[in-house]
Amino acid sequence: MAEDPTFVDRLHRDLRAVHWPEPAEIRARARRRARRTAGLSAVTVLVVLAGSAALVTGRSAGLPSPTAPVAASDSAPVVYPARTEIPLAALLTPADLPVRTGARLGGTGLAETVQVDPLLESCGRERAVAAQLPVSRASRSQTLLRPGTRTDLPVAQVLSQDVYRIEPPRGRWLFGEIYRLLDACATWTLGASLLTADQQPARTGQEHRWEPAAKDFAGDQSVLLRHVTSQPRAQADGEPAGRPTAVEATLVVRVGDLVTVVAPAPETVADRADGTGPELTQAALVALGGRAAKRLCPATDAPC
């Protein structure tokens, strides 16, 4: 077929007609996601711009419009685009908790590394067990505050939650890494400098213990981590210093390609050294993990 000598001229004219976003517009898009990394934002913008150029070029060359009906092939399977953004409905709501909450703060992000327990990861690194936690395609987070707490002051949390979208094989890998850390860090003593009761600086040692309090109670995979932090004691004379023994709980639940990490504030966990405490019992935490799994189900790549 003979070449069309006007093709190149028409191509240049059409490309000049492409609307390229102004720098201010690009920066405004980036600010909408405060947690988005700069590198991934740049890649996203380039993909959008390249798609726009290809669309205009294709139309100028007489190619069919992307919105035009295309005859289906019997041999080619229908491929649906993978879901990326995480809807707000995938998060727990105040009504899901057995305790009262106030303000609800939140945010979204892309390419965030899954975080379960930074202190547990520090213990693992010290003991040559550096966990390889996966990077998410998208994430959404929230913090529920106590009733009446002002968001412009130091806050009193009831619960924090992160939801990450990652590939299911990486989700299974995540739980393997969690159990590796738990095996390495059943007990860990951390040294620090604190003030004693008479306000004198002292070198102290504080014991940390982690254990899986419950497993596989919700979703495809789940674990309830129990972290006990003992009261620090001065290394010189063994006298107590700093805050008393505290217990923290962390829920990790996976459903399909979504993983959520739920961390109630220590003050809301009904678990103390003597077996007593205020509000959230272990049974209530396990039930909360089940409600979190149900919230994730409709938002997965294969809704359940």
Side-chain angles (χ1 to χ4, degrees):
M1 182 176 65
E3 290 185 31
D4 181 357
T6 65
F7 175 77
V8 174
D9 291 336
R10 287 191 291 110
L11 178 62
H12 282 297
R13 285 199 305 273
D14 289 337
L15 284 176
R16 283 196 296 272
V18 176
H19 171 67
W20 302 94
E22 295 294 329
E25 182 182 352
I26 295 175
R27 288 193 295 270
R29 292 178 184 178
R31 282 194 298 270
R32 292 183 193 122
R33 295 185 178 279
R35 298 174 65 189
R36 181 181 300 179
T37 59
L40 191 57
S41 296
V43 172
T44 304
V45 173
L46 289 175
V47 170
V48 172
L49 297 182
S52 301
L55 175 60
V56 174
T57 305
R59 288 179 177 170
S60 68
L63 296 177
S65 166
T67 58
V70 178
S73 170
D74 293 336
S75 59
V78 178
V79 178
Y80 297 96
R83 303 180 71 173
T84 299
E85 293 218 24
I86 300 168
L88 182 62
L91 297 173
L92 291 166
T93 68
D96 291 322
L97 275 70
V99 297
R100 293 181 60 243
T101 65
R104 186 182 189 187
L105 311 178
T108 60
L110 292 175
E112 301 282 347
T113 300
V114 176
Q115 285 195 347
V116 176
D117 184 333
L119 195 61
L120 178 60
E121 295 172 39
S122 296
C123 171
R125 285 191 294 269
E126 182 181 288
R127 297 187 172 178
V129 181
Q132 301 296 318
L133 302 184
V135 175
S136 63
R137 287 191 284 141
S139 62
R140 183 181 281 274
S141 63
Q142 71 168 346
T143 300
L144 298 177
L145 306 182
R146 289 196 172 278
T149 301
R150 291 173 50 187
T151 58
D152 59 339
L153 297 175
V155 298
Q157 297 185 11
V158 173
L159 173 145
S160 66
Q161 180 184 18
D162 296 299
V163 177
Y164 303 93
R165 192 179 294 282
I166 58 180
E167 303 302 328
R170 294 183 180 273
R172 291 188 288 271
W173 173 268
L174 166 66
F175 280 79
E177 293 297 273
I178 291 173
Y179 291 128
R180 280 209 313 139
L181 289 171
L182 292 174
D183 289 342
C185 296
T187 60
W188 183 47
T189 300
L190 182 64
S193 293
L194 296 175
L195 294 178
T196 60
D198 56 357
Q199 299 301 302
Q200 296 299 313
R203 188 68 182 170
T204 64
Q206 185 177 42
E207 184 181 73
H208 296 265
R209 301 194 306 275
W210 285 273
E211 64 176 352
K215 296 182 182 180
D216 299 328
F217 49 85
D220 295 319
Q221 290 175 286
S222 54
V223 63
L224 171 60
L225 304 180
R226 183 174 184 265
H227 173 206
V228 180
T229 304
S230 68
Q231 184 173 22
R233 291 188 174 274
Q235 293 179 352
D237 55 13
E239 288 296 315
R243 298 177 61 184
T245 298
V247 179
E248 297 177 345
T250 303
L251 287 161
V252 188
V253 179
R254 181 180 74 83
V255 180
D257 65 335
L258 291 180
V259 171
T260 186
V261 180
V262 181
E267 293 77 12
T268 68
V269 177
D271 189 352
R272 296 291 183 269
D274 60 1
T276 65
E279 297 166 286
L280 289 176
T281 64
Q282 180 170 317
L285 289 169
V286 168
L288 186 63
R291 287 191 286 274
K294 289 180 180 179
R295 291 283 180 186
L296 297 180
C297 271
T300 62
D301 266 347
C304 49

